[in-house]
PDB file of all heavy atoms in Angstrom:
ATOM      1  N   VAL A   1      -6.174 -50.790  16.206  1.00  0.00           N
ATOM      2  CA  VAL A   1      -4.951 -51.237  15.445  1.00  0.00           C
ATOM      3  C   VAL A   1      -5.250 -52.568  14.799  1.00  0.00           C
ATOM      4  O   VAL A   1      -5.743 -53.479  15.394  1.00  0.00           O
ATOM      5  CB  VAL A   1      -3.759 -51.330  16.369  1.00  0.00           C
ATOM      6  CG1 VAL A   1      -2.521 -51.732  15.583  1.00  0.00           C
ATOM      7  CG2 VAL A   1      -3.502 -50.029  17.131  1.00  0.00           C
ATOM      8  N   VAL A   2      -4.904 -52.624  13.484  1.00  0.00           N
ATOM      9  CA  VAL A   2      -4.890 -53.929  12.774  1.00  0.00           C
ATOM     10  C   VAL A   2      -3.483 -54.150  12.312  1.00  0.00           C
ATOM     11  O   VAL A   2      -2.912 -53.263  11.622  1.00  0.00           O
ATOM     12  CB  VAL A   2      -5.862 -53.922  11.572  1.00  0.00           C
ATOM     13  CG1 VAL A   2      -5.865 -55.304  10.928  1.00  0.00           C
ATOM     14  CG2 VAL A   2      -7.280 -53.545  12.017  1.00  0.00           C
ATOM     15  N   VAL A   3      -2.897 -55.337  12.648  1.00  0.00           N
ATOM     16  CA  VAL A   3      -1.459 -55.543  12.392  1.00  0.00           C
ATOM     17  C   VAL A   3      -1.345 -56.955  11.750  1.00  0.00           C
ATOM     18  O   VAL A   3      -1.978 -57.860  12.162  1.00  0.00           O
ATOM     19  CB  VAL A   3      -0.610 -55.371  13.639  1.00  0.00           C
ATOM     20  CG1 VAL A   3      -1.104 -56.251  14.740  1.00  0.00           C
ATOM     21  CG2 VAL A   3       0.811 -55.591  13.344  1.00  0.00           C
ATOM     22  N   THR A   4      -0.445 -57.082  10.761  1.00  0.00           N
ATOM     23  CA  THR A   4      -0.090 -58.397  10.219  1.00  0.00           C
ATOM     24  C   THR A   4       1.300 -58.688  10.740  1.00  0.00           C
ATOM     25  O   THR A   4       2.118 -57.797  10.907  1.00  0.00           O
ATOM     26  CB  THR A   4      -0.123 -58.410   8.704  1.00  0.00           C
ATOM     27  OG1 THR A   4       0.928 -57.552   8.203  1.00  0.00           O
ATOM     28  CG2 THR A   4      -1.442 -57.953   8.122  1.00  0.00           C
ATOM     29  N   THR A   5       1.575 -60.005  10.966  1.00  0.00           N
ATOM     30  CA  THR A   5       2.837 -60.345  11.480  1.00  0.00           C
ATOM     31  C   THR A   5       3.210 -61.795  11.283  1.00  0.00           C
ATOM     32  O   THR A   5       2.306 -62.681  11.033  1.00  0.00           O
ATOM     33  CB  THR A   5       2.929 -60.045  13.001  1.00  0.00           C
ATOM     34  OG1 THR A   5       4.307 -60.237  13.455  1.00  0.00           O
ATOM     35  CG2 THR A   5       2.035 -61.003  13.812  1.00  0.00           C
ATOM     36  N   HIS A   6       4.483 -62.114  11.302  1.00  0.00           N
ATOM     37  CA  HIS A   6       4.964 -63.496  11.379  1.00  0.00           C
ATOM     38  C   HIS A   6       5.584 -63.789  12.753  1.00  0.00           C
ATOM     39  O   HIS A   6       5.962 -64.923  13.048  1.00  0.00           O
ATOM     40  CB  HIS A   6       6.012 -63.797  10.300  1.00  0.00           C
ATOM     41  CG  HIS A   6       5.467 -63.862   8.900  1.00  0.00           C
ATOM     42  ND1 HIS A   6       4.595 -64.881   8.544  1.00  0.00           N
ATOM     43  CD2 HIS A   6       5.636 -63.092   7.793  1.00  0.00           C
ATOM     44  CE1 HIS A   6       4.299 -64.701   7.246  1.00  0.00           C
ATOM     45  NE2 HIS A   6       4.907 -63.621   6.814  1.00  0.00           N
ATOM     46  N   TYR A   7       5.678 -62.792  13.572  1.00  0.00           N
ATOM     47  CA  TYR A   7       6.310 -62.907  14.873  1.00  0.00           C
ATOM     48  C   TYR A   7       5.456 -63.769  15.877  1.00  0.00           C
ATOM     49  O   TYR A   7       4.327 -63.378  16.122  1.00  0.00           O
ATOM     50  CB  TYR A   7       6.608 -61.567  15.558  1.00  0.00           C
ATOM     51  CG  TYR A   7       7.699 -60.729  14.886  1.00  0.00           C
ATOM     52  CD1 TYR A   7       7.616 -59.321  14.757  1.00  0.00           C
ATOM     53  CD2 TYR A   7       8.872 -61.352  14.442  1.00  0.00           C
ATOM     54  CE1 TYR A   7       8.639 -58.624  14.190  1.00  0.00           C
ATOM     55  CE2 TYR A   7       9.882 -60.599  13.844  1.00  0.00           C
ATOM     56  CZ  TYR A   7       9.785 -59.271  13.727  1.00  0.00           C
ATOM     57  OH  TYR A   7      10.758 -58.564  13.168  1.00  0.00           O
ATOM     58  N   GLY A   8       6.094 -64.869  16.346  1.00  0.00           N
ATOM     59  CA  GLY A   8       5.395 -65.700  17.278  1.00  0.00           C
ATOM     60  C   GLY A   8       4.991 -64.941  18.618  1.00  0.00           C
ATOM     61  O   GLY A   8       3.834 -65.063  19.131  1.00  0.00           O
ATOM     62  N   PRO A   9       5.906 -64.127  19.171  1.00  0.00           N
ATOM     63  CA  PRO A   9       5.534 -63.441  20.405  1.00  0.00           C
ATOM     64  C   PRO A   9       4.358 -62.508  20.261  1.00  0.00           C
ATOM     65  O   PRO A   9       3.603 -62.345  21.223  1.00  0.00           O
ATOM     66  CB  PRO A   9       6.879 -62.647  20.667  1.00  0.00           C
ATOM     67  CG  PRO A   9       7.929 -63.415  20.056  1.00  0.00           C
ATOM     68  CD  PRO A   9       7.347 -63.998  18.841  1.00  0.00           C
ATOM     69  N   LEU A  10       4.092 -61.954  19.083  1.00  0.00           N
ATOM     70  CA  LEU A  10       2.955 -61.116  18.884  1.00  0.00           C
ATOM     71  C   LEU A  10       1.633 -61.891  18.920  1.00  0.00           C
ATOM     72  O   LEU A  10       0.647 -61.455  19.441  1.00  0.00           O
ATOM     73  CB  LEU A  10       3.028 -60.273  17.622  1.00  0.00           C
ATOM     74  CG  LEU A  10       4.141 -59.224  17.552  1.00  0.00           C
ATOM     75  CD1 LEU A  10       3.991 -58.369  16.297  1.00  0.00           C
ATOM     76  CD2 LEU A  10       4.138 -58.332  18.762  1.00  0.00           C
ATOM     77  N   LYS A  11       1.696 -63.111  18.355  1.00  0.00           N
ATOM     78  CA  LYS A  11       0.531 -64.021  18.390  1.00  0.00           C
ATOM     79  C   LYS A  11       0.266 -64.437  19.823  1.00  0.00           C
ATOM     80  O   LYS A  11      -0.892 -64.478  20.211  1.00  0.00           O
ATOM     81  CB  LYS A  11       0.829 -65.231  17.512  1.00  0.00           C
ATOM     82  CG  LYS A  11       1.238 -64.909  16.045  1.00  0.00           C
ATOM     83  CD  LYS A  11       1.591 -66.231  15.334  1.00  0.00           C
ATOM     84  CE  LYS A  11       2.362 -65.943  14.064  1.00  0.00           C
ATOM     85  NZ  LYS A  11       2.718 -67.182  13.301  1.00  0.00           N
ATOM     86  N   GLU A  12       1.313 -64.730  20.586  1.00  0.00           N
ATOM     87  CA  GLU A  12       1.147 -65.107  21.973  1.00  0.00           C
ATOM     88  C   GLU A  12       0.553 -63.928  22.807  1.00  0.00           C
ATOM     89  O   GLU A  12      -0.326 -64.132  23.619  1.00  0.00           O
ATOM     90  CB  GLU A  12       2.449 -65.617  22.594  1.00  0.00           C
ATOM     91  CG  GLU A  12       3.021 -66.847  21.920  1.00  0.00           C
ATOM     92  CD  GLU A  12       4.416 -67.160  22.365  1.00  0.00           C
ATOM     93  OE1 GLU A  12       4.906 -66.500  23.367  1.00  0.00           O
ATOM     94  OE2 GLU A  12       5.093 -68.014  21.796  1.00  0.00           O
ATOM     95  N   LEU A  13       1.042 -62.700  22.455  1.00  0.00           N
ATOM     96  CA  LEU A  13       0.562 -61.523  23.172  1.00  0.00           C
ATOM     97  C   LEU A  13      -0.935 -61.342  22.940  1.00  0.00           C
ATOM     98  O   LEU A  13      -1.704 -61.037  23.858  1.00  0.00           O
ATOM     99  CB  LEU A  13       1.344 -60.309  22.657  1.00  0.00           C
ATOM    100  CG  LEU A  13       0.910 -58.910  23.231  1.00  0.00           C
ATOM    101  CD1 LEU A  13       1.280 -58.826  24.663  1.00  0.00           C
ATOM    102  CD2 LEU A  13       1.511 -57.765  22.448  1.00  0.00           C
ATOM    103  N   ALA A  14      -1.396 -61.596  21.702  1.00  0.00           N
ATOM    104  CA  ALA A  14      -2.822 -61.445  21.369  1.00  0.00           C
ATOM    105  C   ALA A  14      -3.642 -62.425  22.081  1.00  0.00           C
ATOM    106  O   ALA A  14      -4.831 -62.194  22.237  1.00  0.00           O
ATOM    107  CB  ALA A  14      -2.946 -61.524  19.832  1.00  0.00           C
ATOM    108  N   GLN A  15      -3.119 -63.619  22.448  1.00  0.00           N
ATOM    109  CA  GLN A  15      -3.866 -64.570  23.151  1.00  0.00           C
ATOM    110  C   GLN A  15      -3.992 -64.254  24.694  1.00  0.00           C
ATOM    111  O   GLN A  15      -4.939 -64.726  25.317  1.00  0.00           O
ATOM    112  CB  GLN A  15      -3.189 -65.982  23.061  1.00  0.00           C
ATOM    113  CG  GLN A  15      -3.235 -66.599  21.712  1.00  0.00           C
ATOM    114  CD  GLN A  15      -4.702 -66.925  21.259  1.00  0.00           C
ATOM    115  OE1 GLN A  15      -5.355 -66.247  20.516  1.00  0.00           O
ATOM    116  NE2 GLN A  15      -5.237 -68.043  21.886  1.00  0.00           N
ATOM    117  N   THR A  16      -3.064 -63.480  25.203  1.00  0.00           N
ATOM    118  CA  THR A  16      -3.028 -63.266  26.694  1.00  0.00           C
ATOM    119  C   THR A  16      -3.397 -61.849  27.066  1.00  0.00           C
ATOM    120  O   THR A  16      -3.882 -61.620  28.209  1.00  0.00           O
ATOM    121  CB  THR A  16      -1.662 -63.606  27.238  1.00  0.00           C
ATOM    122  OG1 THR A  16      -0.729 -62.792  26.551  1.00  0.00           O
ATOM    123  CG2 THR A  16      -1.365 -65.052  26.968  1.00  0.00           C
ATOM    124  N   MET A  17      -3.146 -60.867  26.188  1.00  0.00           N
ATOM    125  CA  MET A  17      -3.312 -59.459  26.638  1.00  0.00           C
ATOM    126  C   MET A  17      -4.793 -59.024  26.411  1.00  0.00           C
ATOM    127  O   MET A  17      -5.350 -59.178  25.296  1.00  0.00           O
ATOM    128  CB  MET A  17      -2.443 -58.564  25.761  1.00  0.00           C
ATOM    129  CG  MET A  17      -2.591 -57.105  25.982  1.00  0.00           C
ATOM    130  SD  MET A  17      -1.926 -56.564  27.607  1.00  0.00           S
ATOM    131  CE  MET A  17      -0.138 -56.653  27.337  1.00  0.00           C
ATOM    132  N   PRO A  18      -5.450 -58.469  27.428  1.00  0.00           N
ATOM    133  CA  PRO A  18      -6.830 -57.974  27.235  1.00  0.00           C
ATOM    134  C   PRO A  18      -6.833 -56.868  26.197  1.00  0.00           C
ATOM    135  O   PRO A  18      -5.982 -56.012  26.079  1.00  0.00           O
ATOM    136  CB  PRO A  18      -7.113 -57.345  28.606  1.00  0.00           C
ATOM    137  CG  PRO A  18      -6.225 -58.061  29.575  1.00  0.00           C
ATOM    138  CD  PRO A  18      -4.977 -58.361  28.779  1.00  0.00           C
ATOM    139  N   GLY A  19      -7.880 -56.888  25.336  1.00  0.00           N
ATOM    140  CA  GLY A  19      -8.003 -55.910  24.233  1.00  0.00           C
ATOM    141  C   GLY A  19      -7.273 -56.320  22.971  1.00  0.00           C
ATOM    142  O   GLY A  19      -7.413 -55.642  21.943  1.00  0.00           O
ATOM    143  N   PHE A  20      -6.583 -57.451  23.032  1.00  0.00           N
ATOM    144  CA  PHE A  20      -5.908 -57.970  21.825  1.00  0.00           C
ATOM    145  C   PHE A  20      -6.662 -59.217  21.328  1.00  0.00           C
ATOM    146  O   PHE A  20      -7.239 -59.923  22.091  1.00  0.00           O
ATOM    147  CB  PHE A  20      -4.443 -58.358  22.113  1.00  0.00           C
ATOM    148  CG  PHE A  20      -3.476 -57.233  22.186  1.00  0.00           C
ATOM    149  CD1 PHE A  20      -3.693 -56.201  23.122  1.00  0.00           C
ATOM    150  CD2 PHE A  20      -2.401 -57.105  21.321  1.00  0.00           C
ATOM    151  CE1 PHE A  20      -2.784 -55.150  23.247  1.00  0.00           C
ATOM    152  CE2 PHE A  20      -1.513 -56.056  21.431  1.00  0.00           C
ATOM    153  CZ  PHE A  20      -1.686 -55.046  22.362  1.00  0.00           C
ATOM    154  N   ALA A  21      -6.585 -59.462  19.999  1.00  0.00           N
ATOM    155  CA  ALA A  21      -7.244 -60.649  19.472  1.00  0.00           C
ATOM    156  C   ALA A  21      -6.482 -61.129  18.266  1.00  0.00           C
ATOM    157  O   ALA A  21      -5.815 -60.401  17.568  1.00  0.00           O
ATOM    158  CB  ALA A  21      -8.670 -60.355  19.041  1.00  0.00           C
ATOM    159  N   ASN A  22      -6.463 -62.472  18.122  1.00  0.00           N
ATOM    160  CA  ASN A  22      -5.777 -63.069  17.002  1.00  0.00           C
ATOM    161  C   ASN A  22      -6.708 -63.386  15.788  1.00  0.00           C
ATOM    162  O   ASN A  22      -7.925 -63.504  16.004  1.00  0.00           O
ATOM    163  CB  ASN A  22      -5.193 -64.429  17.447  1.00  0.00           C
ATOM    164  CG  ASN A  22      -3.722 -64.336  17.799  1.00  0.00           C
ATOM    165  OD1 ASN A  22      -2.926 -63.667  17.140  1.00  0.00           O
ATOM    166  ND2 ASN A  22      -3.391 -64.988  18.910  1.00  0.00           N
ATOM    167  N   ALA A  23      -6.206 -63.389  14.631  1.00  0.00           N
ATOM    168  CA  ALA A  23      -6.893 -63.809  13.441  1.00  0.00           C
ATOM    169  C   ALA A  23      -5.809 -64.450  12.526  1.00  0.00           C
ATOM    170  O   ALA A  23      -4.648 -64.023  12.587  1.00  0.00           O
ATOM    171  CB  ALA A  23      -7.633 -62.734  12.796  1.00  0.00           C
ATOM    172  N   SER A  24      -6.215 -65.385  11.693  1.00  0.00           N
ATOM    173  CA  SER A  24      -5.232 -65.991  10.762  1.00  0.00           C
ATOM    174  C   SER A  24      -5.887 -66.276   9.432  1.00  0.00           C
ATOM    175  O   SER A  24      -7.079 -66.549   9.330  1.00  0.00           O
ATOM    176  CB  SER A  24      -4.615 -67.229  11.344  1.00  0.00           C
ATOM    177  OG  SER A  24      -5.634 -68.223  11.441  1.00  0.00           O
ATOM    178  N   VAL A  25      -5.027 -66.250   8.363  1.00  0.00           N
ATOM    179  CA  VAL A  25      -5.519 -66.632   7.029  1.00  0.00           C
ATOM    180  C   VAL A  25      -5.138 -68.055   6.793  1.00  0.00           C
ATOM    181  O   VAL A  25      -4.122 -68.566   7.188  1.00  0.00           O
ATOM    182  CB  VAL A  25      -4.899 -65.756   5.904  1.00  0.00           C
ATOM    183  CG1 VAL A  25      -5.472 -64.343   6.007  1.00  0.00           C
ATOM    184  CG2 VAL A  25      -3.374 -65.680   6.043  1.00  0.00           C
ATOM    185  N   GLU A  26      -6.076 -68.799   6.209  1.00  0.00           N
ATOM    186  CA  GLU A  26      -5.937 -70.253   6.040  1.00  0.00           C
ATOM    187  C   GLU A  26      -4.958 -70.680   4.939  1.00  0.00           C
ATOM    188  O   GLU A  26      -4.803 -69.906   3.943  1.00  0.00           O
ATOM    189  CB  GLU A  26      -7.326 -70.850   5.722  1.00  0.00           C
ATOM    190  CG  GLU A  26      -7.353 -72.377   5.695  1.00  0.00           C
ATOM    191  CD  GLU A  26      -8.684 -72.885   5.351  1.00  0.00           C
ATOM    192  OE1 GLU A  26      -9.356 -72.354   4.390  1.00  0.00           O
ATOM    193  OE2 GLU A  26      -9.191 -73.844   5.971  1.00  0.00           O
ATOM    194  N   PHE A  27      -4.316 -71.805   5.198  1.00  0.00           N
ATOM    195  CA  PHE A  27      -3.383 -72.411   4.140  1.00  0.00           C
ATOM    196  C   PHE A  27      -3.805 -73.851   3.975  1.00  0.00           C
ATOM    197  O   PHE A  27      -3.946 -74.638   4.884  1.00  0.00           O
ATOM    198  CB  PHE A  27      -1.931 -72.307   4.627  1.00  0.00           C
ATOM    199  CG  PHE A  27      -0.943 -72.696   3.593  1.00  0.00           C
ATOM    200  CD1 PHE A  27      -0.605 -71.814   2.565  1.00  0.00           C
ATOM    201  CD2 PHE A  27      -0.342 -73.929   3.594  1.00  0.00           C
ATOM    202  CE1 PHE A  27       0.352 -72.182   1.652  1.00  0.00           C
ATOM    203  CE2 PHE A  27       0.542 -74.326   2.590  1.00  0.00           C
ATOM    204  CZ  PHE A  27       0.911 -73.411   1.645  1.00  0.00           C
ATOM    205  N   ASP A  28      -4.054 -74.223   2.768  1.00  0.00           N
ATOM    206  CA  ASP A  28      -4.465 -75.577   2.398  1.00  0.00           C
ATOM    207  C   ASP A  28      -3.196 -76.433   2.259  1.00  0.00           C
ATOM    208  O   ASP A  28      -2.469 -76.319   1.243  1.00  0.00           O
ATOM    209  CB  ASP A  28      -5.265 -75.584   1.074  1.00  0.00           C
ATOM    210  CG  ASP A  28      -5.895 -76.932   0.793  1.00  0.00           C
ATOM    211  OD1 ASP A  28      -5.345 -77.962   1.271  1.00  0.00           O
ATOM    212  OD2 ASP A  28      -6.934 -76.977   0.035  1.00  0.00           O
ATOM    213  N   VAL A  29      -3.004 -77.304   3.246  1.00  0.00           N
ATOM    214  CA  VAL A  29      -1.750 -78.096   3.269  1.00  0.00           C
ATOM    215  C   VAL A  29      -1.761 -79.154   2.162  1.00  0.00           C
ATOM    216  O   VAL A  29      -0.704 -79.653   1.702  1.00  0.00           O
ATOM    217  CB  VAL A  29      -1.546 -78.737   4.689  1.00  0.00           C
ATOM    218  CG1 VAL A  29      -1.262 -77.681   5.710  1.00  0.00           C
ATOM    219  CG2 VAL A  29      -2.726 -79.573   5.038  1.00  0.00           C
ATOM    220  N   THR A  30      -2.956 -79.567   1.711  1.00  0.00           N
ATOM    221  CA  THR A  30      -2.982 -80.615   0.691  1.00  0.00           C
ATOM    222  C   THR A  30      -2.640 -80.017  -0.689  1.00  0.00           C
ATOM    223  O   THR A  30      -1.955 -80.650  -1.457  1.00  0.00           O
ATOM    224  CB  THR A  30      -4.452 -81.205   0.585  1.00  0.00           C
ATOM    225  OG1 THR A  30      -5.367 -80.216   0.315  1.00  0.00           O
ATOM    226  CG2 THR A  30      -4.769 -81.924   1.926  1.00  0.00           C
ATOM    227  N   ARG A  31      -3.070 -78.769  -0.912  1.00  0.00           N
ATOM    228  CA  ARG A  31      -2.742 -78.121  -2.214  1.00  0.00           C
ATOM    229  C   ARG A  31      -1.499 -77.271  -2.083  1.00  0.00           C
ATOM    230  O   ARG A  31      -1.019 -76.722  -3.110  1.00  0.00           O
ATOM    231  CB  ARG A  31      -3.977 -77.227  -2.661  1.00  0.00           C
ATOM    232  CG  ARG A  31      -5.166 -77.984  -3.073  1.00  0.00           C
ATOM    233  CD  ARG A  31      -6.202 -77.032  -3.673  1.00  0.00           C
ATOM    234  NE  ARG A  31      -6.614 -75.941  -2.802  1.00  0.00           N
ATOM    235  CZ  ARG A  31      -6.352 -74.679  -3.070  1.00  0.00           C
ATOM    236  NH1 ARG A  31      -5.719 -74.336  -4.152  1.00  0.00           N
ATOM    237  NH2 ARG A  31      -6.659 -73.744  -2.204  1.00  0.00           N
ATOM    238  N   LEU A  32      -1.062 -77.043  -0.855  1.00  0.00           N
ATOM    239  CA  LEU A  32       0.092 -76.155  -0.578  1.00  0.00           C
ATOM    240  C   LEU A  32      -0.216 -74.785  -1.182  1.00  0.00           C
ATOM    241  O   LEU A  32       0.653 -74.195  -1.877  1.00  0.00           O
ATOM    242  CB  LEU A  32       1.391 -76.725  -1.122  1.00  0.00           C
ATOM    243  CG  LEU A  32       1.855 -78.051  -0.557  1.00  0.00           C
ATOM    244  CD1 LEU A  32       3.171 -78.521  -1.213  1.00  0.00           C
ATOM    245  CD2 LEU A  32       2.011 -77.926   1.002  1.00  0.00           C
ATOM    246  N   ALA A  33      -1.365 -74.231  -0.908  1.00  0.00           N
ATOM    247  CA  ALA A  33      -1.788 -72.911  -1.415  1.00  0.00           C
ATOM    248  C   ALA A  33      -2.725 -72.302  -0.427  1.00  0.00           C
ATOM    249  O   ALA A  33      -3.448 -72.941   0.272  1.00  0.00           O
ATOM    250  CB  ALA A  33      -2.499 -73.118  -2.817  1.00  0.00           C
ATOM    251  N   PRO A  34      -2.617 -70.899  -0.382  1.00  0.00           N
ATOM    252  CA  PRO A  34      -3.517 -70.185   0.505  1.00  0.00           C
ATOM    253  C   PRO A  34      -5.028 -70.273  -0.035  1.00  0.00           C
ATOM    254  O   PRO A  34      -5.234 -70.373  -1.218  1.00  0.00           O
ATOM    255  CB  PRO A  34      -3.046 -68.817   0.422  1.00  0.00           C
ATOM    256  CG  PRO A  34      -2.324 -68.664  -0.833  1.00  0.00           C
ATOM    257  CD  PRO A  34      -1.758 -70.017  -1.147  1.00  0.00           C
ATOM    258  N   THR A  35      -6.009 -70.270   0.940  1.00  0.00           N
ATOM    259  CA  THR A  35      -7.376 -70.160   0.515  1.00  0.00           C
ATOM    260  C   THR A  35      -7.948 -68.736   0.607  1.00  0.00           C
ATOM    261  O   THR A  35      -9.063 -68.518   0.144  1.00  0.00           O
ATOM    262  CB  THR A  35      -8.205 -71.078   1.486  1.00  0.00           C
ATOM    263  OG1 THR A  35      -8.200 -70.504   2.785  1.00  0.00           O
ATOM    264  CG2 THR A  35      -7.674 -72.479   1.464  1.00  0.00           C
ATOM    265  N   TYR A  36      -7.183 -67.832   1.227  1.00  0.00           N
ATOM    266  CA  TYR A  36      -7.586 -66.463   1.436  1.00  0.00           C
ATOM    267  C   TYR A  36      -8.779 -66.272   2.387  1.00  0.00           C
ATOM    268  O   TYR A  36      -9.376 -65.199   2.465  1.00  0.00           O
ATOM    269  CB  TYR A  36      -7.897 -65.719   0.060  1.00  0.00           C
ATOM    270  CG  TYR A  36      -6.786 -65.879  -0.914  1.00  0.00           C
ATOM    271  CD1 TYR A  36      -6.952 -66.653  -2.028  1.00  0.00           C
ATOM    272  CD2 TYR A  36      -5.598 -65.219  -0.746  1.00  0.00           C
ATOM    273  CE1 TYR A  36      -5.940 -66.865  -2.954  1.00  0.00           C
ATOM    274  CE2 TYR A  36      -4.567 -65.301  -1.649  1.00  0.00           C
ATOM    275  CZ  TYR A  36      -4.755 -66.145  -2.793  1.00  0.00           C
ATOM    276  OH  TYR A  36      -3.727 -66.272  -3.641  1.00  0.00           O
ATOM    277  N   ARG A  37      -9.078 -67.342   3.094  1.00  0.00           N
ATOM    278  CA  ARG A  37     -10.161 -67.244   4.114  1.00  0.00           C
ATOM    279  C   ARG A  37      -9.563 -66.813   5.422  1.00  0.00           C
ATOM    280  O   ARG A  37      -8.515 -67.359   5.901  1.00  0.00           O
ATOM    281  CB  ARG A  37     -10.887 -68.595   4.227  1.00  0.00           C
ATOM    282  CG  ARG A  37     -11.676 -68.936   3.038  1.00  0.00           C
ATOM    283  CD  ARG A  37     -12.096 -70.446   2.976  1.00  0.00           C
ATOM    284  NE  ARG A  37     -12.789 -70.841   4.204  1.00  0.00           N
ATOM    285  CZ  ARG A  37     -12.961 -72.093   4.536  1.00  0.00           C
ATOM    286  NH1 ARG A  37     -12.526 -73.053   3.718  1.00  0.00           N
ATOM    287  NH2 ARG A  37     -13.553 -72.417   5.645  1.00  0.00           N
ATOM    288  N   LEU A  38     -10.282 -65.937   6.101  1.00  0.00           N
ATOM    289  CA  LEU A  38      -9.788 -65.360   7.419  1.00  0.00           C
ATOM    290  C   LEU A  38     -10.558 -66.062   8.572  1.00  0.00           C
ATOM    291  O   LEU A  38     -11.774 -66.173   8.522  1.00  0.00           O
ATOM    292  CB  LEU A  38     -10.018 -63.897   7.443  1.00  0.00           C
ATOM    293  CG  LEU A  38      -9.596 -63.181   8.700  1.00  0.00           C
ATOM    294  CD1 LEU A  38      -8.074 -63.088   8.761  1.00  0.00           C
ATOM    295  CD2 LEU A  38     -10.226 -61.779   8.810  1.00  0.00           C
TER     296      LEU A  38
END
């Protein structure tokens, strides 16, 4: 399963549940724009 989300509990689940993993796309806070890097 590959899932995108804004839900905080799902991110926490991915940190603690075996078989789950987190990933995030970067946001440049200086430019206030996404970099599209994973």
Side-chain angles (χ1 to χ4, degrees):
V1 183
V2 183
V3 57
T4 67
T5 189
H6 286 294
Y7 287 144
L10 293 188
K11 305 174 195 178
E12 295 171 11
L13 178 70
Q15 288 294 103
T16 58
M17 176 72 72
F20 283 61
N22 264 316
S24 65
V25 289
E26 186 182 43
F27 187 79
D28 188 336
V29 293
T30 59
R31 293 188 303 114
L32 297 179
T35 66
Y36 307 109
R37 290 164 54 194
L38 180 72

